Amino acid sequence: MSKYYVTIGLEMHCEGSQTNSKVFSPAINGYSDLANSNVVAIDMGFPGILPVVNKEAVRQAIMMASVLHARIPEYMYFERKNYYYPDLPKGYQLTQNPPEECVGNGGYIDIEREDGTTFRVDIDNLHLEEDAAQMEHLYDTSIINYNRAGVPLFELVTTPCLHSADDAVAFLEYVRAIYQYCNISEADSKKGQVRCDVNISISEDDKKLGTKVEIKNVNSFSGVRDAINYEIKRQSSLKDQGRYEEVVQETRRWDEESGTTITMRSKADALDYKYFVEPNIPKYKIDPKWIEDIQNNIPELPYERKEKYLNELGLSSYDATILIKDKSISDYFEECLKLGIDAKEATNWITVNIVGYMNKNDLSLSEIFLTPNMLKFILDNINNGTISSKQAKEVFFKVLEEKKEPSNYISKENAQISDENELENIIDTILLNNPNQIEQYKSGKTNLFDFFVGQVMKETRGKANPIITKELLHKKLD
Amino acid sequence: MMNKSIEELHELLKNKKITSKELIDESLKLSHEVQDKYNAFVTILDNAKEVEVTDNLLSGIPFGVKDNYSTKGVLSTGSSNTLKDYIPFFDATAYENLVNAGAIMVNKTAMDEFGMGGTGTTCHTGIVRNPWDPTRMCAGSSAGSACAVAAGVYPYATGSDTGDSIRKPAAYCGIVGYKPTYGMISRYGLFAFASSLDHLGVLTRSVKDAAIVVDNMKGIDKRDMTSWDSSNINLTNSLTGNTNGKKLCYIKELCNINNYPNASDELKKHLCNFMDKIKLIKDNGILVEEVSVDQTLLNAIASTYVIISCAEATSNMSNLTGLSFGPRGEGNNYIDVIKDHRTKGFSPLIKRRFVIGSYVLQKENQERYFKNAQRVRRLLVDEWKKLFEKYDAVILPVGTGVAKKLDGDADMLSEGTTALEEHLQVGNFGGFPSITIPDGFIDGLPVALNITGNCYDDANVLNIAYKIESLMDYKNQIAKEVK
């Protein structure tokens, strides 16, 4: 930890993935493997094109602003941010500016830390804008994919109110969950749907902010954590050495490979974006009834679900946090409950096995073959004694690996032996072959009981029903 | 045949006195003659195909399209080298509407590069000459359209108007130029110059033809958020010629000859002719009154226009990088490639305007120039709206006289005439319906007056223009070269 007072502000860009069309054009808003396929003339800035605002994107922005307790303006309009770059075909980006005119102005959100304490993040603004095209820079050439050009982009700007990398990441994770819960975006970093800029400064005390350094285009939350920690170390070290003047107001880039930040441009080179009102979109009044309607239809948010899990289902805070973090996991869990799986049982399977498997293999839930119905099928087979929990786990991983229905792995041959007569025969044979151990057990070495259980399991290659086995052994030995 | 009105041609077509094919052939032949003499076109469509004649007045009749309209499969350059080989893959809505009406495009007309100019001399294909006097300009930017309609190539050609780009060339060429209320015609597919000022419209030889054409161009368009539903307006049917109780006004500061010390003979004749026409209008039962508008406000029109139009233009034309369309520039990085494309592609006049536009938008200048210009725009619009509370329309002379000489005697302009020269721009500031009609001749060259009314009041404005046109002798005139 730095001995200095750290101040962090975040800009979180989240691509909206849940509209049919782009934010100002009728092109499909969707992921495509084929470059430049979801494109119309508007996205490429051909002469004569005009923007048309996507009402659904505005609805989503208003919903997000509401969740953030932000003020929603009376009128909606957009501004042009002018600059030249090959990924910006019109030569300007349609966005919102200044903060008081954005779809969300001010606001706050309370975030829970892992240790159960909470902190408040103040929002400067939330604005709706269009994404640029995607560029890939090859050795001696660059290629442009316009599929992304014009995709709705929600940019959330916090005030400089955060003080640690952990808090910053906790905030980002929670906001990402909100985007998912509100069905605005899958908010998948792997698809590049979430990108962050970080503003960071250090100072002797909390009265005066130090020199602000901006780190651009950090594309994962672990990157945000590492970039912040690196930057704190870099700035602190310079300050320690009495070289704080070398920390200048500038824009830096997070370089994932080297794990460092690298100067991009200084404040003096900052671009003048020459903002002005987009004349092709008439300023229009947002119907207060519509806003009310949107606000009345905000879906259940992650913390609300967490509350429910704690109070109604009696889950631990730790488990509930894991479940709500990703909407797809929480939805999976709730699907399990609907199928009648016990809440704690479902929690264990999901938090330990499914999430563990996802993390280990870097998968998202949509890539997991095992559905809640399949999980239910496996658990039913434990409960009716067809398989043991150990076998259930084997079936579980086979389903995941081989992507086949669990019924393929639960059959007569490997079914659990619950037939008392059959087990009794096996037990009798074992007892006959181990007279010494019986002697010792009877003279008080009761922990030898497990030895007998083990022998039965060995004989049946684990298929013996453990409960019946134990019952029978007690009957014979005691 | 092509000197006839739309209704006359339609009758002939309907009665099979003439075929659409014959009209096209004649129009194409005239196009080539006009091209040789006046250089009015970027493209002549020799393979234009006839269509079935329907009950639509425009069906089967040839027309011209300004080259800043996006026309699918047909070269559309905006008269700029930056788009010298650009063939669009989509149609401008207004053009599409005309084609759906059965109209037949026979050429694309030359213009000042991207509409940024008032002379018709900055087209990448060269100067457009005035058919009344080839040593003079047509004015611009719809120079080719004005030239061709005046020369009788067809009854109408489309135009666009950001400052006065339909109404000024119409005046210099002795024809009618009409831009309706902002948003009545969709701008989708029009190469943007200054979006908040850009209007589409038409150049014709009569008010009725203008009404017929705009009736077919207009309509709400889901691709243009600034367009509005005008389905309850039928301009053609509104031309009753009944102007009982109509009131017009003219602005003293612009029309009074005493306001111009050292006025040229031409200016004197122009204003005198205008006042004669005012008298004629009054004599025919329309009330016309003189009003006064603050001279300072009038003097601010031109600079307000320059600031707003240049600012929007510099942003609108940032898409012209030569990266995804247009000739690719040379260079080792994207900045050099874009620079090379734009350096080679744009004329010096446009570059000057980009510099102005960029300057007034800069953070440190925006308040002083761009924001103030918007405030003055608001003041001017409010001033005109105040006039519209009392009057149906404002009637004013167009410019300071006849078409100007190409060899540049700009310094012979009379003193203090800027406001008179540029007042049509207020029509763009407010998005007002505005129509220019010829009102006389000075030494064999046409001059004009303009009628501008309140937004959405197009039918009324056109009907007044229709009435005034009928009081004079300049309807359907074809240019005759003066000696």
Side-chain angles (χ1 to χ4, degrees):
Chain A
M1 274 308 291
S2 170
K3 64 182 175 192
Y4 299 109
Y5 186 75
V6 176
T7 304
I8 300 161
L10 295 171
E11 288 169 33
M12 179 188 191
H13 304 78
C14 182
E15 256 179 37
S17 61
Q18 305 304 96
T19 57
N20 294 327
S21 54
K22 294 182 178 179
V23 61
F24 300 112
S25 96
I28 291 169
N29 174 22
Y31 182 78
S32 171
D33 284 329
L34 190 61
N36 297 312
S37 53
N38 293 339
V39 180
V40 299
I42 296 167
D43 310 315
M44 291 184 69
F46 276 93
I49 56 101
L50 296 171
V52 175
V53 179
N54 182 335
K55 196 177 172 188
E56 173 60 13
V58 174
R59 188 192 67 82
Q60 293 177 356
I62 289 173
M63 180 177 282
M64 194 64 195
S66 304
V67 172
L68 296 168
H69 312 98
R71 191 188 70 87
I72 294 155
E74 206 181 335
Y75 291 92
M76 188 87 178
Y77 70 91
F78 293 86
E79 293 235 323
R80 290 187 184 180
K81 178 179 181 178
N82 297 283
Y83 63 96
Y84 286 94
Y85 198 70
D87 69 2
L88 194 70
K90 294 195 293 285
Y92 55 83
Q93 178 193 33
L94 291 184
T95 181
Q96 295 187 293
N97 179 67
E100 53 274 19
E101 304 291 342
C102 294
V103 63
N105 176 222
Y108 66 88
I109 188 145
D110 291 324
I111 305 292
E112 294 175 14
R113 295 190 182 94
E114 266 180 39
D115 64 7
T117 58
T118 64
F119 62 100
R120 176 163 289 192
V121 178
D122 291 316
I123 308 299
D124 183 80
N125 76 80
L126 171 78
H127 56 268
L128 177 61
E129 58 187 25
E130 57 180 335
D131 209 346
Q134 199 164 16
M135 285 191 79
E136 203 176 321
H137 303 284
L138 309 176
Y139 170 64
D140 62 350
T141 183
S142 296
I143 53 178
I144 310 178
N145 180 355
Y146 291 96
N147 283 349
R148 205 182 71 186
V151 165
L153 196 61
F154 301 86
E155 181 172 344
L156 198 171
V157 183
T158 75
T159 63
C161 65
L162 292 149
H163 304 290
S164 76
D166 286 348
D167 281 1
V169 172
F171 163 77
L172 292 171
E173 281 181 340
Y174 188 64
V175 174
R176 173 171 64 186
I178 294 173
Y179 277 116
Q180 294 173 344
Y181 279 65
C182 292
N183 200 27
I184 293 172
S185 177
E186 301 160 83
D188 188 343
S189 318
K190 272 189 283 173
K191 288 187 187 163
Q193 288 170 335
V194 181
R195 309 188 290 274
C196 301
D197 298 340
V198 181
N199 289 297
I200 179 163
S201 68
I202 59 166
S203 56
E204 304 281 350
D205 57 64
D206 59 357
K207 300 284 180 296
K208 203 171 144 265
L209 292 180
T211 306
K212 181 178 85 176
V213 172
E214 184 184 30
I215 310 164
K216 275 240 176 267
N217 289 327
V218 194
N219 293 334
S220 70
F221 293 165
S222 60
V224 169
R225 185 190 307 276
D226 295 345
I228 290 174
N229 286 332
Y230 172 83
E231 198 53 29
I232 293 173
K233 221 168 81 185
R234 184 185 74 88
Q235 294 182 20
S236 301
S237 149
L238 285 168
K239 204 171 175 78
D240 286 343
Q241 297 165 49
R243 292 161 58 198
Y244 189 62
E245 72 281 358
E246 289 177 37
V247 177
V248 291
Q249 196 171 337
E250 62 174 351
T251 300
R252 297 173 76 86
R253 175 172 71 77
W254 170 244
D255 184 70
E256 203 140 337
E257 265 170 51
S258 64
T260 60
T261 62
I262 298 162
T263 296
M264 272 172 77
R265 58 171 182 262
S266 76
K267 195 201 170 201
D269 299 328
L271 293 171
D272 177 356
Y273 292 117
K274 301 179 186 130
Y275 286 101
F276 73 98
V277 176
E278 163 58 275
N280 295 310
I281 300 173
K283 190 170 182 169
Y284 66 95
K285 199 178 165 100
I286 311 175
D287 184 357
K289 273 209 214 97
W290 190 46
I291 297 178
E292 209 183 295
D293 188 49
I294 293 167
Q295 290 173 337
N296 289 336
N297 285 294
I298 296 172
E300 195 177 31
L301 295 175
Y303 284 160
E304 289 166 16
R305 279 202 190 177
K306 186 176 173 183
E307 206 65 13
K308 192 172 74 182
Y309 296 169
L310 293 177
N311 299 334
E312 292 174 23
L313 304 176
L315 300 188
S316 72
S317 172
Y318 176 81
D319 284 341
T321 305
I322 296 178
L323 288 175
I324 60 145
K325 204 166 175 179
D326 186 324
K327 176 164 186 282
S328 60
I329 290 171
S330 175
D331 286 346
Y332 191 97
F333 172 68
E334 302 210 344
E335 187 60 36
C336 289
L337 297 186
K338 266 190 215 150
L339 292 172
I341 302 175
D342 174 69
K344 287 193 178 137
E345 199 170 13
T347 304
N348 280 335
W349 277 90
I350 293 170
T351 59
V352 178
N353 298 325
I354 296 182
V355 173
Y357 186 81
M358 282 164 58
N359 290 345
K360 194 175 140 205
N361 296 289
D362 197 23
L363 298 173
S364 63
L365 191 64
S366 59
E367 295 166 290
I368 295 289
F369 181 75
L370 185 110
T371 62
N373 267 316
M374 294 181 203
L375 183 61
K376 164 89 166 129
F377 182 82
I378 296 173
L379 297 179
D380 283 350
N381 275 291
I382 301 177
N383 295 337
N384 67 20
T386 311
I387 53 171
S388 66
S389 344
K390 186 164 163 278
Q391 284 175 312
K393 245 181 217 172
E394 283 167 18
V395 172
F396 172 85
F397 284 110
K398 279 202 167 133
V399 171
L400 290 180
E401 290 291 339
E402 297 172 12
K403 298 196 191 328
K404 280 187 192 152
E405 289 281 337
S407 56
N408 289 300
Y409 309 103
I410 300 173
S411 61
K412 287 266 150 56
E413 291 92 80
N414 61 9
Q416 197 169 35
I417 302 165
S418 301
D419 184 78
E420 288 198 24
N421 289 332
E422 194 183 342
L423 284 175
E424 206 167 342
N425 286 337
I426 295 165
I427 289 168
D428 286 346
T429 316
I430 288 166
L431 295 181
L432 210 67
N433 293 336
N434 295 284
N436 290 343
Q437 278 79 357
I438 298 173
E439 195 85 356
Q440 286 174 33
Y441 178 83
K442 288 197 166 160
S443 61
K445 267 192 124 179
T446 48
N447 56 355
L448 270 173
F449 186 78
D450 288 344
F451 164 78
F452 293 109
V453 175
Q455 289 299 306
V456 176
M457 289 300 165
K458 194 174 159 192
E459 190 60 35
T460 59
R461 280 182 306 174
K463 284 189 278 186
N465 182 319
I467 297 162
I468 300 172
T469 302
K470 283 177 191 169
E471 269 174 26
L472 287 171
L473 276 170
H474 277 298
K475 212 158 71 186
K476 302 243 171 215
L477 290 169
D478 298 340
Chain B
M1 280 297 163
M2 295 320 294
N3 58 357
K4 296 196 181 319
S5 74
I6 291 171
E7 280 179 328
E8 286 166 343
L9 289 172
H10 181 68
E11 273 310 299
L12 291 169
L13 285 167
K14 265 291 181 194
N15 299 331
K16 305 212 182 331
K17 299 257 167 60
I18 193 161
T19 65
S20 172
K21 175 84 168 62
E22 286 167 325
L23 289 184
I24 294 168
D25 288 345
E26 184 183 335
S27 186
L28 285 171
K29 185 173 153 277
L30 289 166
S31 297
H32 285 287
E33 284 171 25
V34 164
Q35 179 67 353
D36 289 345
K37 282 199 270 188
Y38 313 122
N39 196 33
F41 309 114
V42 178
T43 306
I44 297 173
L45 294 150
D46 288 313
N47 57 357
K49 294 272 178 305
E50 70 267 31
V51 300
E52 193 198 343
V53 176
T54 66
D55 283 338
N56 191 301
L57 291 172
L58 300 182
S59 64
I61 299 175
F63 77 113
V65 176
K66 192 174 178 180
D67 212 32
N68 58 350
Y69 281 57
S70 188
T71 49
K72 187 174 171 179
V74 175
L75 186 70
S76 304
T77 67
S79 282
S80 175
N81 276 317
T82 56
L83 292 178
K84 66 187 175 65
D85 301 314
Y86 174 61
I87 297 176
F89 55 93
F90 61 95
D91 280 333
T93 301
Y95 167 71
E96 197 174 66
N97 291 345
L98 289 172
V99 170
N100 289 340
I104 300 158
M105 174 171 71
V106 291
N107 55 43
K108 296 288 297 276
T109 63
M111 51 186 282
D112 282 302
E113 187 174 6
F114 289 124
M116 299 179 83
T119 59
T121 62
T122 64
C123 329
H124 77 309
T125 48
I127 290 166
V128 180
R129 295 175 183 278
N130 192 309
W132 295 88
D133 177 356
T135 66
R136 293 176 185 266
M137 61 180 61
C138 288
S141 63
S142 309
S145 288
C147 173
V149 171
V153 173
Y154 30 49
Y156 70 99
T158 68
S160 67
D161 188 316
T162 304
D164 52 22
S165 281
I166 286 174
R167 296 161 293 157
K168 192 62 119 10
Y172 280 11
C173 293
I175 58 172
V176 173
Y178 167 47
K179 76 153 197 70
T181 300
Y182 187 75
M184 190 183 222
I185 303 177
S186 164
R187 285 180 296 118
Y188 190 81
L190 176 79
F191 298 175
F193 161 12
S195 310
S196 76
L197 302 167
D198 288 346
H199 294 65
L200 291 85
V202 69
L203 297 101
T204 61
R205 291 187 296 265
S206 72
V207 175
K208 189 160 210 177
D209 280 358
I212 292 168
V213 176
V214 171
D215 271 334
N216 282 285
M217 289 173 86
K218 72 187 181 68
I220 190 163
D221 180 8
K222 62 182 194 313
R223 291 173 291 190
D224 177 0
M225 289 185 79
T226 63
S227 68
W228 48 278
D229 183 9
S230 59
S231 53
N232 61 336
I233 299 175
N234 184 308
L235 297 170
T236 314
N237 292 347
S238 308
L239 304 183
T240 60
N242 180 353
T243 49
N244 285 344
K246 298 295 174 194
K247 286 192 253 178
L248 302 179
C249 67
Y250 64 90
I251 296 166
K252 183 178 76 181
E253 285 73 11
L254 294 173
C255 303
N256 191 332
I257 192 67
N258 297 325
N259 241 9
Y260 305 98
N262 314 315
S264 66
D265 279 350
E266 184 187 325
L267 178 59
K268 283 178 192 159
K269 284 180 186 163
H270 181 42
L271 293 180
C272 184
N273 174 60
F274 175 76
M275 292 315 295
D276 285 350
K277 295 301 169 336
I278 292 293
K279 182 169 180 304
L280 176 70
I281 293 164
K282 282 181 179 171
D283 290 348
N284 281 275
I286 300 176
L287 182 86
V288 187
E289 288 180 348
E290 185 178 83
V291 294
S292 180
V293 172
D294 184 353
Q295 184 74 50
T296 318
L297 199 54
L298 294 172
N299 289 345
I301 293 171
S303 44
T304 300
Y305 173 77
V306 167
I307 290 169
I308 293 173
S309 67
C310 290
E312 291 186 20
T314 182
S315 172
N316 276 334
M317 287 171 213
S318 296
N319 64 335
L320 302 170
T321 56
L323 293 180
S324 43
F325 54 86
R328 179 66 69 92
E330 284 164 27
N332 292 323
N333 55 57
Y334 79 89
I335 295 173
D336 289 347
V337 169
I338 293 174
K339 264 190 192 162
D340 186 55
H341 168 80
R342 293 173 70 87
T343 304
K344 287 178 184 158
F346 291 121
S347 70
L349 178 87
I350 280 218
K351 287 176 193 160
R352 183 177 154 268
R353 293 200 182 194
F354 287 162
V355 172
I356 295 170
S358 208
Y359 181 81
V360 299
L361 280 178
Q362 273 169 15
K363 220 177 189 171
E364 61 270 30
N365 303 328
Q366 206 177 101
E367 184 60 35
R368 182 176 157 82
Y369 296 107
F370 187 62
K371 294 274 169 67
N372 272 337
Q374 286 176 317
R375 289 178 191 114
V376 177
R377 175 179 183 170
R378 171 53 51 200
L379 291 176
L380 280 159
V381 170
D382 287 349
E383 188 71 27
W384 254 249
K385 291 235 178 198
K386 234 172 11 192
L387 295 176
F388 296 141
E389 283 171 16
K390 198 169 165 200
Y391 302 99
D392 292 279
V394 179
I395 184 166
L396 289 169
V398 176
T400 53
V402 301
K404 299 197 172 41
K405 284 281 203 185
L406 280 167
D407 55 15
D409 51 356
D411 49 352
M412 297 218 355
L413 285 179
S414 305
E415 262 182 80
T417 54
T418 312
L420 181 58
E421 202 65 77
E422 311 294 358
H423 66 81
L424 292 180
Q425 291 160 353
V426 177
N428 302 80
F429 294 161
F432 302 135
S434 183
I435 184 166
T436 288
I437 59 174
D439 75 340
F441 284 89
I442 299 174
D443 302 331
L445 294 170
V447 286
L449 60 80
N450 173 273
I451 301 160
T452 296
N454 205 354
C455 288
Y456 314 112
D457 204 19
D458 293 68
N460 189 22
V461 170
L462 252 60
N463 184 43
I464 292 167
Y466 181 67
K467 171 74 173 182
I468 295 172
E469 177 190 54
S470 74
L471 304 175
M472 304 182 292
D473 279 338
Y474 316 113
K475 191 173 158 183
N476 288 326
Q477 63 188 6
I478 303 283
K480 296 175 285 288
E481 278 190 32
V482 291
K483 287 285 157 276

